[in-house]
Amino acid sequence: MSGAAASPAIELRGLRKTYRKGRQTVTAVDGLDLRVERGEVFGLLGPNGAGKTTTVEICEGITAPDGGQVQILGRQWRTGVDTEIRSAIGVCLQETKFHDKQTVRETLELFAALFARGRSVDEVLGLVSLQEKAGARQKDLSGGQRQRLAVATALLGAPELLFLDEPTTGLDPQSRRQLWEVVREFQRGGGTVLLTTHYMEEAHQLCDRVAVVDQGKVIALGSPDELIRSLGAAHFVECDVDDFAGKLGEQELRALPGVQACTFAPTRAELTVASVHTTVPALLELLDARAVALRDLATRHATLEDVFVSLTGRHLREGA
Amino acid sequence: MNPRAVWAVAKAQFREFWRTPEAVFWTYGFPLVMTVVLGFAFGPKPPDPVPIAVVVADPAAADSDPLVAVLRHDARLSVEVLDAAAADRALVRGRVGLLVHGSVAEPVVRADPTRPEAQLAGLVVARALRDARDGPGVAIAQEVEDRPGSRYIDFLVPGLIGLNLLGAGMWGFGFNLVQMRTQNLLRRLSVTPLTRGEFLLGYLMGRFVLVIPEAIVIALFGVLLWGVPFRGSWLAFLLVVAVGGFAFAGLGCLLASRARTTEGVAGLMNLCQLPMWMLGGVFFANENLRGPMRWAAEALPLTHINRALRDVMLEPGSVLDIAVPLAGLGLFAALCFGLGLRLFRWQ
């Protein structure tokens, strides 16, 4: 078992999975490689349909891959150790409806009984701050409480590795923060987490490392800060004007100090810059000199969203 | 009223239905198949003769009895000649709807008028007796069968207990299992160390505790309210209920082992339930069926459960008397569970 203990929490090599949808074959995972170290919170970030859930379900042993290697805590599914793996992982699926008429405590007692050893129901209730709702039935819980209950069922077996598939989708900001705290607490206790999300902020706040997934492949990998730094610029300057036409061209904006990229429209420009304080004075001076009337000026930090846009030319969430 | 709103609701409902292939199949495909099968079974052909019994003191000497000869002569009747005890038994078990005794000149019929086949049998017997005499019809004395144990209600209550076991197996075990699957709850359980065998056994136990009290309640209801007799052994009764309930629970689990939608499993359940409702000996005795229909009836587990229930309620049946059907039902249950466990899918 020393070999298993030294192995990474998750190792995926050349993972492939295709589905038949009517007459079409859809490739959900297309040669995906991934290594999640023990003790880290690892995020799979990508748009809907990128293959995140399929990848996680392969890791959880729910779905068998068509090709590639899967190692979970140094073990492989379907080699006679499935129960061992299941005893060591905790799973929170994207959508689970527990028994409507059972209380939080009863639901947790059911799941606690499935594991040979693990945490007590009361301990887990404390971890997810649901002590006051212990006697409430599932149907009387809010969305955030239900989601914390789902995470609580995953914590009962005292897992080494926790899978969270879009744990905060549809939750209000406060519920989201509460869940983040649960995840951090789990990590402080030495646990490893693989989570999927399409919220950039969540990935940035929570994850030690992030894999950006698109069309079944990992297209970028690193800590959130590394990924953002890889853009070469950490800031954006957005300016709205009455009209650039005949007064100022895209080339002149690109030539301003510190500008690395520029998207240009007749009444709007977005500059990617290394430092705001060198570019903005020069920009204002240039606009003034050409008599372009400035309507709005805003600066912001680059986000993982920008990383995704720069890699794919698309936004993470449609309409975002 | 906003016609656009009405139209939009109608359209949404229609689409929802049309895009559920299971619903489409069970709505169109299944009734079509049923029509064809039933068409062949009940299609144009002479009607089956009506079963009656003639009660005589000595069945061995029946051939010289003019009443027997007259009734046997009529092709619309299927006549059994029995002594009083055997005739009562045939009536209890619903094998015949009507008893005739007396003579050609002074015939007496005995039946429970609430029994559906009694009316028809009475009419046919009256016609047969009239046809045998060229003159005016003979006056037929009517005796109403109202002794506990020989009435239609006595026949019906054991059948209803059997029907309840069937419903509990289908809805309680099958349907509910598929509902847990559609809610992703089975999938969630599958990623814990829980095995399929552990799950199904626990599921069965939790639901099964409800089945036996339910049967006891119906039996008590019949006994106390309508005076349905209970002549056999209660232990045998409980055994039939347990084994029968187990058989239908197994069938329910088998049907639900893979179905992904409640429409799909409801269709499969209908497919199994319909023949049992019709041919399982609940509302009328299936011993009178002929040919393929009889074979079909004999192949249904409900037939054997109902027969065993009547053995222990209407007759002094003991555990030994129902050992063979019990063994058969147990085997059926084991087969269903074994196959269901093999086929079972979490998702």
Side-chain angles (χ1 to χ4, degrees):
Chain A
M1 283 313 287
S2 61
S7 59
I10 300 174
E11 188 158 29
L12 308 176
R13 277 203 214 120
L15 202 64
R16 301 185 66 82
K17 180 72 190 178
T18 55
Y19 285 109
R20 294 198 66 80
K21 229 180 203 170
R23 281 179 209 154
Q24 288 175 358
T25 305
V26 180
T27 303
V29 181
D30 190 8
L32 186 137
D33 300 304
L34 203 67
R35 191 183 153 101
V36 177
E37 302 299 341
R38 290 186 185 235
E40 70 176 337
V41 175
F42 192 98
L44 289 179
L45 180 65
N48 289 329
K52 304 189 299 286
T53 294
T54 307
T55 303
V56 170
E57 289 187 345
I58 290 171
C59 292
E60 292 163 350
I62 291 177
T63 306
D66 295 332
Q69 298 264 316
V70 182
Q71 289 239 336
I72 305 297
L73 302 166
R75 306 179 187 98
Q76 288 182 11
W77 288 109
R78 295 165 200 87
T79 58
V81 293
D82 286 10
T83 305
E84 246 178 83
I85 305 179
R86 288 195 181 112
S87 303
I89 64 172
V91 174
C92 179
L93 298 173
Q94 213 173 83
E95 246 182 288
T96 304
K97 259 192 94 209
F98 296 107
H99 293 293
D100 254 355
K101 288 157 202 144
Q102 311 221 0
T103 65
V104 168
R105 180 178 292 281
E106 286 162 349
T107 302
L108 290 175
E109 278 166 352
L110 163 66
F111 278 89
L114 308 183
F115 294 89
R117 57 185 168 275
R119 295 193 170 90
S120 74
V121 168
D122 283 304
E123 187 187 347
V124 169
L125 277 171
L127 285 176
V128 300
S129 314
L130 276 178
Q131 298 101 320
E132 281 141 49
K133 287 282 165 187
R137 292 187 178 190
Q138 161 84 9
K139 63 180 168 55
D140 299 324
L141 299 180
S142 72
Q145 289 162 346
R146 277 178 201 206
Q147 201 54 33
R148 274 185 281 151
L149 173 60
V151 174
T153 62
L155 294 174
L156 279 167
E160 298 167 48
L161 172 59
L162 185 61
F163 293 97
L164 303 172
D165 196 357
E166 304 207 350
T168 65
T169 297
L171 297 191
D172 60 85
Q174 197 204 341
S175 304
R176 184 169 295 162
R177 274 164 208 288
Q178 279 177 321
L179 254 176
W180 291 352
E181 209 31 64
V182 173
V183 173
R184 290 197 188 104
E185 190 57 42
F186 176 75
Q187 186 187 21
R188 279 196 284 274
T192 310
V193 180
L194 177 66
L195 72 88
T196 73
T197 182
H198 53 233
Y199 296 117
M200 278 65 59
E201 196 202 349
E202 181 161 287
H204 202 156
Q205 291 277 332
L206 210 50
C207 298
D208 300 308
R209 287 196 304 147
V210 165
V212 181
V213 181
D214 189 42
Q215 296 179 350
K217 286 194 181 86
V218 174
I219 57 172
L221 180 72
S223 74
D225 288 330
E226 273 168 18
L227 288 174
I228 290 165
R229 269 202 304 277
S230 75
L231 286 173
H235 300 278
F236 290 88
V237 177
E238 296 162 347
C239 65
D240 289 294
V241 299
D242 60 345
D243 200 359
F244 284 125
K247 298 173 184 166
L248 189 58
E250 187 181 348
Q251 287 310 316
E252 289 165 284
L253 289 177
R254 283 182 186 275
L256 287 169
V259 172
Q260 281 154 0
C262 172
T263 58
F264 189 81
T267 65
R268 182 185 168 86
E270 189 182 275
L271 307 175
T272 311
V273 305
S275 60
V276 174
H277 63 274
T278 50
T279 308
V280 168
L283 173 67
L284 293 176
E285 204 173 304
L286 181 64
L287 293 174
D288 197 37
R290 299 298 170 83
V292 178
L294 187 62
R295 289 210 172 122
D296 191 23
L297 181 74
T299 69
R300 63 177 177 87
H301 280 281
T303 65
L304 287 170
E305 173 86 29
D306 299 306
V307 175
F308 188 79
V309 172
S310 84
L311 287 169
T312 66
R314 287 176 286 116
H315 283 274
L316 269 170
R317 275 181 292 167
E318 291 152 288
Chain B
M1 177 165 315
N2 175 357
R4 249 185 57 216
V6 174
W7 179 240
V9 171
K11 248 187 0 197
Q13 284 306 312
F14 179 77
R15 272 200 297 258
E16 207 44 38
F17 165 77
W18 197 246
R19 291 175 190 174
T20 311
E22 292 93 333
V24 175
F25 172 76
W26 292 110
T27 311
Y28 290 103
F30 178 56
L32 223 71
V33 172
M34 280 306 293
T35 311
V36 171
V37 170
L38 293 180
F40 277 113
F42 295 112
K45 62 176 186 195
D48 284 336
V50 179
I52 61 158
V54 180
V55 189
V56 295
D58 179 12
D63 290 346
S64 57
D65 189 322
L67 180 61
V68 173
V70 163
L71 294 173
R72 272 190 181 156
H73 181 69
D74 196 305
R76 291 166 301 192
L77 290 171
S78 150
V79 180
E80 283 188 77
V81 181
L82 304 167
D83 62 30
D88 279 347
R89 189 164 185 276
L91 196 61
V92 167
R93 303 306 295 251
R95 211 169 71 229
V96 299
L98 183 101
L99 305 181
V100 186
H101 58 99
S103 64
V104 178
E106 289 177 341
V108 184
V109 300
R110 181 170 185 87
D112 174 0
T114 61
R115 192 185 284 275
E117 39 310 10
Q119 301 278 349
L120 176 65
L123 289 172
V124 179
V125 166
R127 289 254 314 255
L129 290 170
R130 193 188 62 204
D131 292 352
R133 295 158 60 105
D134 289 334
V138 66
I140 301 174
Q142 308 274 344
E143 284 179 1
V144 173
E145 179 61 78
D146 56 2
R147 290 170 300 170
S150 303
R151 302 159 304 170
Y152 182 56
I153 184 75
D154 305 318
F155 178 82
L156 192 59
V157 167
L160 291 180
I161 293 173
L163 201 60
N164 237 278
L165 293 176
L166 173 67
M170 297 287 122
W171 294 100
F173 291 84
F175 195 77
N176 189 68
L177 194 59
V178 176
Q179 227 165 16
M180 284 173 72
R181 187 178 287 124
T182 61
Q183 293 175 353
N184 256 355
L185 189 48
L186 290 188
R187 175 187 271 241
R188 176 65 188 85
L189 290 170
S190 78
V191 290
T192 69
L194 183 70
T195 64
R196 296 195 285 185
E198 286 168 351
F199 170 74
L200 282 176
L201 185 63
Y203 178 78
L204 184 76
M205 281 166 51
R207 300 237 139 216
F208 203 73
V209 293
L210 306 168
V211 171
I212 293 180
E214 195 182 342
I216 295 176
V217 166
I218 304 176
L220 279 179
F221 211 70
V223 170
L224 297 178
L225 201 65
W226 292 300
V228 174
F230 201 102
R231 293 172 179 151
S233 119
W234 273 94
L235 176 68
F237 173 79
L238 291 178
L239 266 175
V240 181
V241 169
V243 176
F246 201 55
F248 287 136
L251 186 60
C253 287
L254 175 61
L255 298 180
S257 60
R258 291 206 164 188
R260 281 171 195 237
T261 61
T262 47
E263 283 92 347
V265 75
L268 286 172
M269 280 164 33
N270 278 334
L271 183 67
C272 288
Q273 277 181 299
L274 201 74
M276 293 206 240
W277 275 78
M278 290 173 47
L279 305 177
V282 177
F283 301 103
F284 61 92
N286 53 13
E287 278 94 347
N288 305 321
L289 297 167
R290 278 146 203 269
M293 300 285 274
R294 179 66 196 271
W295 307 334
E298 289 301 317
L300 298 173
L302 185 59
T303 296
H304 300 283
I305 291 173
N306 285 346
R307 208 170 278 161
L309 284 171
R310 291 187 179 116
D311 281 340
V312 299
M313 289 181 72
L314 307 182
E315 297 187 50
S318 67
V319 175
L320 219 62
D321 293 319
I322 53 165
V324 173
L326 275 188
L329 287 166
L331 190 69
F332 175 80
L335 277 175
C336 284
F337 274 115
L339 200 58
L341 190 61
R342 269 191 81 89
L343 291 176
F344 180 78
R345 274 193 191 150
W346 291 105
Q347 32 190 330

